[in-house]
């Protein structure tokens, strides 16, 4: 049975879903649990994976940008010591909220709210599985399970994490 939403809530939901779908072009690669994590400060959002896309990405020279360190977290990190990260210089965080239309991060509340509570700018991301359901279905699932955006000046828009297939050899 469909759930009715008010016009304002529906518009906000569609705007957030639109942001998520537009974010498809902003790819960022997260290390898998099996991979060796890059050295702290060596990974950049928006950079393609050379082994898969054949290009080095579009990162400007380091001298040309002001950098603010951030992290991405998922259930692999469990409960995070946010004050420790804050004190070490980490000032923003993206937290995995969902994957496909079948998974929600059980640590999402601690990670998403904990980062915000220590003063970080925070955002949520959705791990896309294009082979399981449509983009619209996944965008809706994301919005319904923590991927909403708030206009508080410290919440980043939702981001779509699209990676080379971590569950098999094919893209």
């Amino acid at each position: 049975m469909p759930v009715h939403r008010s016009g304002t809530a529906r518009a906000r939901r569609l705007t957030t879903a639109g942001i998520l779908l537009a974010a498809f072009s902003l790819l960022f690669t997260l290390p898998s649990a099996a991979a060796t994590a890059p050295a702290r400060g060596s990974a950049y959002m928006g950079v393609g994976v050379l082994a898969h896309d054949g290009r080095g990405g579009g990162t400007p020279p380091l001298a040309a940008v002001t950098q603010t360190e951030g992290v991405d977290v998922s259930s692999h990190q469990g409960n995070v010591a946010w004050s420790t990260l804050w004190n070490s210089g980490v000032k923003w965080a993206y937290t995995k909220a969902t994957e496909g239309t079948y998974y929600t991060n059980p640590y999402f509340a601690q990670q998403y709210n904990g980062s915000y509570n220590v003063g970080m700018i925070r955002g949520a991301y959705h791990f896309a599985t294009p082979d399981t359901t449509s983009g619209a279905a996944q965008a809706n699932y994301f919005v319904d399970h923590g991927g909403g955006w708030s206009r508080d000046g410290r919440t980043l828009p939702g981001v779509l994490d699209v990676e080379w297939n971590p569950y098999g050899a094919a893209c």
Side-chain angles (χ1 to χ4, degrees), residues 112-138:
Y112 190 71
N113 296 326
S115 60
Y116 188 87
N117 290 340
V118 298
M120 288 186 190
I121 297 170
R122 52 90 189 266
Y125 73 90
H126 173 78
F127 188 93
T129 55
D131 61 326
T132 62
T133 55
S134 72
Q138 291 186 49

Side-chain angles (χ1 to χ4, degrees), residues 106-171:
Y107 296 96
F108 180 76
Q110 189 276 341
Q111 294 172 344
Y112 190 71
N113 296 326
S115 60
Y116 188 87
N117 290 340
V118 298
M120 288 186 190
I121 297 170
R122 52 90 189 266
Y125 73 90
H126 173 78
F127 188 93
T129 55
D131 61 326
T132 62
T133 55
S134 72
Q138 291 186 49
N140 287 330
Y141 188 79
F142 175 66
V143 170
D144 288 344
H145 296 91
W149 176 77
S150 60
R151 185 180 250 173
D152 59 9
R154 288 187 34 217
T155 301
L156 298 163
V159 172
L160 183 63
D161 180 3
V162 180
E163 297 185 21
W164 195 262
N165 184 359
Y167 306 118
C171 182

